[in-house]
């Protein structure tokens, strides 16, 4: 979940990728994401905005991300 969310956030079409290829990648990553509540989506957006070392620490301390608290 954490990896798919972060990869989806940073996904950008490369010069050599077709629209179909990038659409397939987006769909595959979206399949890896669970159905989230609006609060969980907000929490994941916040988590993915953090610096990598802080994000890792938050994930280590909180295995389940449900809110920004």
């Amino acid at each position: 979940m954490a990896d798919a969310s972060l990869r989806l956030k940073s996904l950008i079409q490369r010069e050599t990728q077709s629209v179909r290829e990038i659409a397939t990648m987006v769909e595959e990553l979206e399949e890896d994401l669970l159905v989230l509540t609006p609060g969980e989506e907000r929490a994941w957006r916040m988590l993915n905005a953090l610096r990598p070392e802080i994000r890792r620490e938050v994930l280590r301390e909180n295995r389940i991300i449900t809110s920004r608290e």
Side-chain angles (χ1 to χ4, degrees), residues 21-50:
E21 289 172 325
I22 196 73
T24 299
M25 289 179 70
V26 168
E27 289 171 1
E28 288 172 356
L29 289 170
E30 287 175 339
E31 286 175 5
D32 290 340
L33 298 176
L34 302 172
V35 176
L36 302 174
T37 66
E40 289 170 330
E41 286 181 23
R42 291 182 68 223
W44 278 100
R45 279 195 303 272
M46 177 69 183
L47 181 67
N48 288 335
L50 298 174

